[in-house]
Amino acid sequence: MKALPATLIAVALVLALPGVAVKTKQPAQAAGVVLSGQRPPGLTETDPVVTVQRVCTGCHNDRARRGNLSLEDFDVMAAARHGETAEKMIRKLRAGMMPPPGTRPPTPEAIQALVETLEHQLDEVARLSPNPGGRTFQRLNRSEYSLAIKDLLALDVEAADWLPLDQFSANFDNIADAQTLSPMLLESYLNAASAISRLAMGERRGPAVDHTYSNSEYVSQHPWDHVEGAPYGTRGGIVVDHVFPADAEYVFSLTFTSGANTRIEDVDVSIDGKRVALLHYNTDRRVGADGRGGVPTETLPIFVPAGQHRLAVAFIRRADGPYEDLIRPHDWSFAGGGSGGSGVTTLPHVRDVVVSGPYNVRGLSETPSRRRIFTCRPTGAEEARPCAREIIDRLGRAAYRRALTEQDRDGLMSFYEEGAEKGGFEIGVRTALEAMLASPHFVLRLEREPVDAPDQGYRVSDVGLASRLSFFLWGTPPDEELQTLADEGRLSPEELERQALRMLADTRAEALGTRFAAQWFRLQDMDKVRPDPNFYPNYDENLAEAMRQETELFFADLVQRNRSLLDLYRADYTFVNERLARHYGIPGVAGRQFRRVAYPDDSRRGVLGHGSILVLTSLANRTSPVLRGKWVMEVLLGTPPPPPPPDVPTLEDTEGTLDGRSLTTRERMELHRSNPSCSSCHRLIDPIGLALDNFDVTAQWRRRENGAPLDTRGEFYDGTPVSTPRELVDALLARPIPLVRTFTENLLAFAVGRRVEYFDQPSVRAIARAAEANDYRMASFVLGVVGSDAFQRKRGQ
């Protein structure tokens, strides 16, 4: 006989409980209400049943089906039977978006009674019959792969050199259902394993090859722009971590891009901070017809020991002040049309650096990677195999994130023996290492399922939990302490919490800023916006990177200092360096290092004042209140507006003039919104975006647009007047529940590597309630996620 669904079992259990009360504003009415579908007599105007039937079904009925939803058959007193629909109702009601503006709403008491009734019934079913959800295996994405290699082999690699782009799902690149495996991807992992094993081991007999490193044309290389890692006193250039395969000679070839009338520039070539060459670049020699020399310059052969070294090629900075240009359509790079034209006086930029070699190989030095691999050395043939076994045991445990089985060990040793037969001990170890990196046990985050796993779920093994916790908080495989606890089966719920607190205190928890927050906020979308240099000449990729780093540091600081989540929205401080502070108009900041500073006024607050958010929600030549309002609704409130109806004219189609001037963005929006099919959504979106319209495309404060004063007045969808970023933040914080729950949903999805479903919402509410009791401290959310059934348990496949 087929097992009954867990939800039906839970309903039956609730029916068996005497007097299960629903928490509403009407305790006398609610007492004794259960999930039976029976409506108690004596309903009042504030009763949830009345609210749904008299208010909600006015739009959500079988005929109108507004939002593609009908509630005619929805039974409030049996909400668990309609769990997905009930959760949609809760989300809209908590955000204050239902009933929609323009309709006669029920009393606040009636709305509160309805939403609390729905939540209580769903939470009670989840308590009695929890559904932890399930997912397929995860694989290491680009970021996780790079960090795993660094942990294992002390080698910094760019996984993008081999692996294709990761697919995003539910905001993140680690969601299992989007991590499909294809023949091309499998080949990419095999190629990466082959290349990385050679990089780590080095090659005495490797061929001479050319490696090219290129600069983006959007990167500024002017006197005020110093590349991190280059020697002090330099400007621009390229800094890369290059792996030199052997102790040998290498040649460095440089290609430049420059404007006319530039004379001699000195170029510093350094390795690990030590100058190895000083080149003199003169644009008078071999200048092209367009004035952009593109002159290649080449060093003499330079001896470099094997291993990964930091290579820096940068110009000697001759002055810090401004310099005179003949023509300045923009003053930062060649981004206007991809090049500076003839007559544009710009300083030369490093375009490419080519590393050629090795030549005249002399040997193979000990490198950090080789020291990590070779913890023993055989002195005779009889010691080779035991030494190889010791190396494989240690590296295999770290690579597979668990102790090796005898079958694992035998398989890897067979690869060692095959390689050793062809090339000796080191080739044998390299072959085993390559097999290790190509193994599914390294590439995939596999979690063993117990035999006859129960339908209601099972606790993930300690080894699986260790990986979940480490990739969640650090983006890396477990460290030695965590791995040892997992191997010994000592990761109890209490120990898991202790480990989470330990890991939060570690600097590696900054990954929550660079990984979780960056993807939740969609910072990768900054790369899609290239502000027009004719209107915004001071914007470049250097400034964009500073904006991105500001947001990542800000979030990481909230985690490190265990601040309240609400500071994400209301903070009166941020993190800037001199370039970004000058862009924002914040005085008193000097130097390239980021530091915490207080905002000089209340025009900026929290993350909504960050340039990263304001740029990614703009267009190249104008702001977009629609994109900004949509971002707030989707990312912060978790209530994305519906897609626009077909054949609706775009905002650009409403271009025109008024009194001889171009229309402002607001005026175009009002014309656009006059279309009845657009107004219902835009009345929600536009006031949010307009409140941020004092920030231009590059997040600088402005008061006029197209010569006309900005008008940012509007009404939040609950009727609250908003016209400034500060008023918008206050309106959002007046309803903290949607903000808190949306953050919790995203944190849970990132932690468990799957989408948060409707049956996860009781867990989301429980985590948020527990965090509220602790002033919404960041650690409370992390511990809530780690302690949840969704994190620690899993439903059988």
Side-chain angles (χ1 to χ4, degrees):
M1 174 184 255
K2 188 174 180 179
L4 290 174
T7 303
L8 293 182
I9 296 173
V11 170
L13 289 171
V14 173
L15 287 171
L17 293 176
V20 177
V22 179
K23 294 166 56 181
T24 70
K25 297 295 183 179
Q26 305 291 329
Q29 295 285 341
V33 173
V34 294
L35 304 184
S36 62
Q38 299 176 353
R39 299 183 177 87
L43 298 180
T44 66
E45 290 296 322
T46 59
D47 192 281
V49 174
V50 175
T51 302
V52 171
Q53 294 302 320
R54 292 189 181 178
V55 180
C56 302
T57 55
C59 295
H60 302 291
N61 53 60
D62 291 341
R63 182 176 56 83
R65 294 191 69 85
R66 294 289 296 275
N68 196 29
L69 175 66
S70 174
L71 296 178
E72 286 191 9
D73 296 328
F74 183 81
D75 192 341
V76 177
M77 297 308 147
R81 298 177 188 169
H82 324 275
E84 191 167 1
T85 298
E87 292 294 354
K88 290 178 181 178
M89 295 171 65
I90 291 169
R91 185 180 297 269
K92 292 290 187 179
L93 291 168
R94 283 295 189 185
M97 293 182 177
M98 286 293 157
T103 61
R104 183 181 177 184
T107 64
E109 291 78 12
I111 294 177
Q112 187 76 1
L114 173 58
V115 73
E116 288 188 355
T117 297
L118 295 175
E119 289 179 355
H120 176 78
Q121 295 195 41
L122 294 170
D123 293 350
E124 189 65 18
V125 169
R127 183 181 68 82
L128 295 168
S129 181
N131 182 354
R135 62 164 173 77
T136 59
F137 61 83
Q138 290 177 280
R139 62 171 173 80
L140 299 184
N141 57 33
R142 280 182 171 186
S143 173
E144 293 166 347
Y145 188 92
S146 296
L147 290 173
I149 294 297
K150 184 175 182 179
D151 273 9
L152 182 66
L153 300 173
L155 192 67
D156 280 303
V157 299
E158 287 289 341
D161 292 343
W162 303 281
L163 305 183
L165 283 169
D166 294 312
Q167 185 174 344
F168 280 74
S169 177
N171 290 331
F172 303 110
D173 62 3
N174 67 342
I175 303 300
D177 63 10
Q179 293 186 320
T180 55
L181 285 174
S182 65
M184 183 191 74
L185 186 59
L186 292 173
E187 185 177 356
S188 298
Y189 280 115
L190 292 174
N191 291 336
S194 176
I196 291 170
S197 61
R198 283 164 171 76
L199 291 175
M201 298 278 292
E203 292 186 275
R204 288 184 175 87
R205 299 177 181 85
V209 296
D210 292 346
H211 291 276
T212 302
Y213 300 96
S214 300
N215 249 335
S216 166
E217 65 184 15
Y218 293 95
V219 170
S220 168
Q221 299 186 43
H222 285 256
W224 49 83
D225 288 308
H226 171 83
V227 179
E228 184 178 353
Y232 285 106
T234 61
R235 69 165 182 87
I238 294 179
V239 176
V240 297
D241 291 319
H242 181 76
V243 179
F244 296 85
D247 302 345
E249 293 177 345
Y250 299 85
V251 174
F252 305 95
S253 303
L254 284 62
T255 306
F256 300 92
T257 307
S258 72
N261 301 322
T262 301
R263 294 294 183 257
I264 297 175
E265 290 280 346
D266 292 329
V267 183
D268 178 276
V269 180
S270 65
I271 294 178
D272 295 335
K274 181 180 179 180
R275 178 183 292 174
V276 295
L278 183 65
L279 303 178
H280 302 287
Y281 169 67
N282 188 344
T283 55
D284 284 346
R285 294 179 296 146
R286 297 165 60 184
V287 173
D290 62 353
R292 296 174 59 242
V295 182
T297 303
E298 187 174 282
T299 70
L300 295 172
I302 297 171
F303 176 79
V304 183
Q308 189 166 55
H309 300 281
R310 175 152 293 183
L311 168 66
V313 176
F315 296 99
I316 303 297
R317 188 171 70 244
R318 298 181 179 277
D320 286 329
Y323 54 92
E324 184 176 353
D325 281 352
L326 290 176
I327 303 171
R328 291 182 65 188
H330 45 83
D331 63 358
W332 50 271
S333 84
F334 305 106
S339 64
S342 178
V344 179
T345 308
T346 57
L347 296 176
H349 285 41
V350 175
R351 187 173 65 195
D352 302 304
V353 174
V354 181
V355 182
S356 303
Y359 305 110
N360 301 321
V361 176
R362 303 181 191 176
L364 193 58
S365 299
E366 281 302 286
T367 66
S369 296
R370 286 176 61 84
R371 284 192 291 270
R372 186 71 61 87
I373 295 168
F374 294 109
T375 52
C376 63
R377 294 282 185 177
T379 57
E382 70 282 355
E383 295 180 2
R385 200 172 189 281
C387 179
R389 186 182 179 93
E390 177 187 324
I391 291 171
I392 286 172
D393 272 352
R394 181 178 45 78
L395 289 180
R397 174 176 178 269
Y400 292 178
R401 303 174 288 277
R402 58 172 174 79
L404 295 185
T405 65
E406 201 61 39
Q407 183 179 5
D408 296 328
R409 189 177 296 107
D410 291 344
L412 293 172
M413 284 300 296
S414 69
F415 281 101
Y416 161 77
E417 289 163 358
E418 180 182 339
E421 184 177 345
K422 295 178 180 178
F425 175 75
E426 287 208 2
I427 299 301
V429 172
R430 191 182 74 186
T431 305
L433 176 61
E434 182 178 345
M436 200 179 294
L437 298 182
S439 169
H441 299 291
F442 174 71
V443 172
L444 306 181
R445 292 171 53 187
L446 302 171
E447 294 175 347
R448 296 182 183 274
E449 181 173 308
V451 178
D452 299 327
D455 291 339
Q456 65 269 28
Y458 59 91
R459 189 174 190 264
V460 177
S461 69
D462 284 8
V463 168
L465 287 174
S467 282
R468 285 194 177 198
L469 183 64
S470 190
F471 281 109
F472 169 34
L473 298 182
W474 289 351
T476 67
D479 64 356
E480 181 60 31
E481 178 176 336
L482 183 60
Q483 189 65 63
T484 299
L485 288 169
D487 289 344
E488 295 174 356
R490 293 195 286 130
L491 271 185
S492 64
E494 296 75 20
E495 183 60 43
L496 199 65
E497 181 175 315
R498 281 193 291 272
Q499 289 298 310
L501 289 173
R502 175 183 71 86
M503 297 171 73
L504 280 176
D506 193 284
T507 56
R508 283 171 284 187
E510 292 175 353
L512 286 172
T514 56
R515 294 277 299 136
F516 164 72
Q519 293 186 42
W520 175 35
F521 293 145
R522 304 176 183 177
L523 299 191
Q524 66 274 6
D525 288 352
M526 287 188 72
D527 298 333
K528 301 176 184 177
V529 181
R530 299 290 187 186
D532 190 332
N534 295 296
F535 296 102
Y536 308 100
N538 294 320
Y539 185 89
D540 54 45
E541 197 162 301
N542 309 57
L543 183 62
E545 181 57 33
M547 290 175 173
R548 186 181 288 108
Q549 194 169 351
E550 170 195 19
T551 304
E552 293 171 354
L553 288 172
F554 176 74
F555 188 88
D557 179 72
L558 293 180
V559 174
Q560 182 182 18
R561 296 197 297 143
N562 197 22
R563 297 296 299 263
S564 171
L565 170 66
L566 301 186
D567 286 351
L568 185 66
Y569 314 100
R570 68 190 179 193
D572 59 357
Y573 64 89
T574 190
F575 290 80
V576 294
N577 60 7
E578 181 178 358
R579 175 78 189 282
L580 189 56
R582 187 168 63 242
H583 186 76
Y584 286 166
I586 300 175
V589 178
R592 300 180 178 90
Q593 291 74 33
F594 279 80
R595 78 293 314 263
R596 174 177 162 163
V597 298
Y599 287 130
D601 54 48
D602 64 354
S603 59
R604 295 181 193 269
R605 279 293 178 271
V607 74
L608 290 178
H610 287 196
S612 59
I613 307 304
L614 298 164
V615 168
L616 72 87
T617 53
S618 297
L619 303 177
N621 58 355
R622 67 167 177 85
T623 59
S624 176
V626 173
L627 288 179
R628 288 178 177 175
K630 182 172 177 284
W631 185 91
V632 170
M633 292 180 67
E634 282 186 349
V635 175
L636 301 185
L637 295 173
T639 53
D647 302 325
V648 171
T650 64
L651 192 62
E652 278 67 24
D653 293 336
T654 60
E655 292 278 8
T657 60
L658 179 67
D659 299 331
R661 62 171 175 80
S662 298
L663 296 177
T664 64
T665 301
R666 183 190 183 96
E667 289 165 341
R668 279 182 284 148
M669 289 174 64
E670 288 176 347
L671 288 175
H672 179 76
R673 197 167 55 203
S674 62
N675 186 328
S677 62
C678 302
S679 60
S680 61
C681 290
H682 279 279
R683 65 201 298 175
L684 299 173
I685 302 171
D686 293 357
I688 297 174
L690 283 170
L692 299 171
D693 207 37
N694 278 116
F695 296 113
D696 71 7
V697 170
T698 65
Q700 287 188 309
W701 190 260
R702 62 177 183 170
R703 298 187 183 275
R704 303 179 72 84
E705 181 188 14
N706 296 335
L710 277 172
D711 182 3
T712 60
R713 292 172 299 170
E715 282 191 355
F716 200 58
Y717 54 76
D718 64 359
T720 303
V722 291
S723 59
T724 66
R726 175 62 183 270
E727 291 176 351
L728 174 60
V729 170
D730 291 342
L732 291 171
L733 291 177
R735 295 178 181 273
I737 288 179
L739 298 173
V740 171
R741 290 183 182 176
T742 301
F743 167 76
T744 306
E745 285 177 18
N746 282 275
L747 192 66
L748 183 62
F750 180 76
V752 300
R754 65 168 175 82
R755 292 173 172 273
V756 171
E757 305 290 351
Y758 73 91
F759 54 76
D760 293 304
Q761 293 305 321
S763 293
V764 169
R765 287 190 284 271
I767 295 169
R769 280 193 294 267
E772 181 182 11
N774 196 27
D775 192 28
Y776 295 122
R777 300 281 177 181
M778 298 299 290
S780 299
F781 290 100
V782 171
L783 294 180
V785 167
V786 171
S788 68
D789 277 349
F791 188 87
Q792 295 195 20
R793 297 178 62 80
K794 189 176 177 182
R795 194 173 54 209
Q797 295 298 310

